[in-house]
Amino acid sequence: MAKRKRLTPLQSDTAPFGAAPETKSMFPTYRDGWEGAGPSRAPIAAVAGDAATIAALDELAETMARARAEGRMILSLPLDAIEAGHLIRDRIAVDAAEMTTLRDSLLRRGQQTPIEVTDLGHGRYGLISGWRRLQALKMLRSETGDGRFATVQALLRRPDDAAGAYLAMVEENEIRVGLSHYERARIVEKVVGQGVYDSHKKALQGLFHAASRSKRSKIGSYLPIVAALDGALAFPEALSERGGLLLSKALLDDPGFGPRLRDRLLATPAPDAAAEQAVILQALKPAKEGTGLPPPAPVRISGGLSLTEHADGSLTLRGAAVTPDLRRDLCDWLAARG
């Protein structure tokens, strides 16, 4: 039988006799840390940790993108990126005292309430609501040069259509300050003219759906004033409810009255609301006195009761049926409706 030869490690020339050479494994070993790399993680743990981090970042990015798209994230946008004329504004009067208060608040505390915008693409945004805040910030930027006023805080909205955008604008103003009947009627007229709604009735119902039927009726009564005098009236918001109804009736009764009054208002612009109202009342005097118009005719309601409607909008009941009981019942009925 042949002898087996025992294999022994090669001996180093410098190593002491019988000492094996130093060898290193091709894989790192863990003692007090991974050899050669300092404290770290096992390769498979590192891969798993990196994957978890990437997944968490992806989820965070998706959450932020969804919050931005749904209007739950406040964006900081350059003032110059906002197109204030994206929608026809419903508010046409700006109270100087209110604007001063708003500017002082922005100067002291910064912007507390974001505006609402819609994304127009290419870094441009259309203003939906917050026109006064936007204007106040522009004034402060111009006056102070402070970088704080170079941007505006905004919520991104995605209205389904133009009607939804106008509704958002109207509701924001109704909640904050409230519009005059003229301003309400004017936005109705404008959106119908743009084809957003195909009739005044639908526009009234769409924009003022939360208002009572009687309130929508009053707004509708101002439509003839807007059609005849928009742009000629310098202080339309100063029209009283009774004065507005009287003016509307005069415009409907006499087709030539609107052009005559418009020419008068444009020829001599009023310096203030009181002066403008005086011009309107002076123009209405012939109608109130019945000049050129037949006297109001009573309408027979029953055998003992007739109703007369006067040019100033007042009503007169006459006849044997006008008794204390009728007066009491009528007052109760009017109180219940109010």
Side-chain angles (χ1 to χ4, degrees):
M1 181 179 293
K3 253 185 189 181
R4 293 183 179 178
K5 186 175 179 181
R6 176 175 295 179
L7 299 177
T8 60
L10 294 175
Q11 302 299 318
S12 169
D13 294 337
T14 59
F17 179 79
E22 181 180 1
T23 60
K24 290 188 177 181
S25 170
M26 62 182 293
F27 299 105
T29 58
Y30 184 84
R31 292 186 181 88
D32 295 329
W34 293 102
E35 187 177 326
S40 182
R41 298 173 295 173
I44 191 168
V47 172
D50 291 344
T53 300
I54 293 172
L57 290 174
D58 287 344
E59 182 179 359
L60 177 61
E62 181 182 351
T63 299
M64 294 181 68
R66 188 165 58 249
R68 184 181 189 276
E70 294 174 357
R72 294 183 287 109
M73 178 185 292
I74 297 178
L75 309 177
S76 182
L77 303 175
L79 282 181
D80 295 334
I82 310 299
E83 296 190 10
H86 173 61
L87 299 178
I88 297 174
R89 310 316 303 175
D90 52 354
R91 183 167 296 285
I92 58 177
V94 179
D95 185 276
E98 291 179 358
M99 183 60 78
T100 299
T101 300
L102 176 58
R103 290 169 60 191
D104 289 346
S105 174
L106 290 170
L107 188 61
R108 292 195 312 271
R109 304 175 60 226
Q111 185 185 351
Q112 301 298 307
T113 305
I115 65 173
E116 293 180 312
V117 298
T118 185
D119 193 346
L120 302 178
H122 308 290
R124 306 296 297 170
Y125 298 87
L127 180 67
I128 293 178
S129 67
W131 184 87
R132 292 191 310 155
R133 275 159 281 166
L134 185 66
Q135 297 308 309
L137 286 169
K138 287 182 177 180
M139 292 177 187
L140 288 170
R141 179 184 62 175
S142 176
E143 293 169 1
T144 67
D146 193 329
R148 288 188 302 152
F149 307 119
T151 59
V152 59
Q153 296 179 23
L155 291 173
L156 185 63
R157 301 301 189 200
R158 298 183 184 276
D160 295 332
D161 50 24
Y166 277 107
L167 175 60
M169 176 185 67
V170 169
E171 287 186 337
E172 200 263 357
N173 275 332
E174 289 284 353
I175 291 171
R176 290 188 174 277
V177 183
L179 302 168
S180 67
H181 283 335
Y182 183 91
E183 289 170 317
R184 295 182 180 109
R186 182 177 181 272
I187 197 61
V188 168
E189 180 71 25
K190 295 299 183 181
V191 297
V192 171
Q194 285 193 336
V196 178
Y197 291 94
D198 57 15
S199 71
H200 293 101
K201 181 178 180 181
K202 289 183 178 179
L204 281 166
Q205 292 174 338
L207 296 177
F208 302 99
H209 62 92
S212 65
R213 186 174 180 178
S214 62
K215 183 175 180 179
R216 287 198 297 269
S217 177
K218 289 177 182 177
I219 298 171
S221 68
Y222 277 70
L223 288 172
I225 305 176
V226 174
L229 302 176
D230 192 41
L233 289 170
F235 307 95
E237 73 285 353
L239 280 170
S240 66
E241 184 173 317
R242 182 178 178 183
L245 294 175
L246 176 60
L247 178 56
S248 179
K249 187 176 187 305
L251 290 167
L252 293 174
D253 289 343
D254 181 0
F257 177 67
R260 293 196 303 271
L261 178 56
R262 184 180 187 87
D263 290 343
R264 187 181 303 182
L265 291 168
L266 292 174
T268 310
D272 52 42
E276 185 171 83
Q277 294 304 303
V279 172
I280 295 172
L281 290 175
Q282 182 64 31
L284 286 171
K285 275 186 177 180
K288 292 172 71 176
E289 295 168 356
T291 304
L293 295 173
V299 177
R300 184 176 180 181
I301 298 176
S302 65
L305 188 64
S306 64
L307 174 68
T308 303
E309 181 179 359
H310 301 280
D312 63 356
S314 62
L315 302 173
T316 301
L317 285 173
R318 287 189 175 90
V322 181
T323 63
D325 289 340
L326 177 63
R327 293 190 189 95
R328 184 179 60 255
D329 292 343
L330 181 59
C331 289
D332 292 342
W333 179 77
L334 290 172
R337 285 180 61 86

